[in-house]
Amino acid sequence: MNFIIRWLVTALAVGAAVWIVPGIEVYGAEAWVAVALVGLILSLINISIKPILQVLSLPVTCLTLGIFYLVVNTAMLYLAGWVAEGIFDVQLHIATFGSAFVASIVVSIVSGLVNSLIGNENTR
């Protein structure tokens, strides 16, 4: 049940990023299906690969006072787009690194807000 909540929150956050950030678009299916699939893939990546990258990038994150953590989130967004295109033929088009960086900030903020509203502390 916790994973389903994480998936829905992440899909909602990805949808907000697609809606708010210019340069982020989804193609290949209906918009809500594409956003749900990218949200699913991003949730799986955040559970499996992101903790490893956080540990590996810990020295740089400490030197930059946590700013590099946003770069790790941006890389996870790029990876989710690449996997979504390869597996489901759903394309998460990211125009520039700047738009991906802003989209990762939007995803983090929306996820945090929704998690605080529903009272789910276990998902991030």
Side-chain angles (χ1 to χ4, degrees):
M1 188 68 177
N2 193 17
F3 178 75
I4 294 172
I5 294 171
R6 180 186 297 249
W7 174 24
L8 293 175
V9 168
T10 305
L12 182 67
V14 169
V18 167
W19 182 57
I20 293 172
V21 179
I24 304 291
E25 298 172 359
V26 289
Y27 301 110
E30 289 192 32
W32 68 273
V33 174
V35 167
L37 288 173
V38 171
L40 173 66
I41 293 168
L42 189 59
S43 296
L44 291 171
I45 287 172
N46 283 343
I47 290 172
S48 59
I49 298 172
K50 188 175 178 182
I52 297 167
L53 283 179
Q54 286 175 334
V55 169
L56 291 176
S57 67
L58 192 58
V60 177
T61 303
C62 289
L63 285 176
T64 61
L65 302 175
I67 299 298
F68 193 75
Y69 185 71
L70 296 173
V71 175
V72 172
N73 285 344
T74 304
M76 296 302 98
L77 194 60
Y78 270 115
L79 183 61
W82 180 70
V83 171
E85 183 179 358
I87 295 175
F88 296 110
D89 200 30
V90 171
Q91 197 172 32
L92 177 68
H93 177 71
I94 302 171
T96 63
F97 178 80
S99 60
F101 189 77
V102 172
S104 70
I105 293 171
V106 169
V107 168
S108 297
I109 290 172
V110 171
S111 294
L113 287 174
V114 172
N115 282 326
S116 68
L117 287 175
I118 63 174
N120 193 5
E121 295 93 22
N122 294 333
T123 59
R124 288 189 249 164

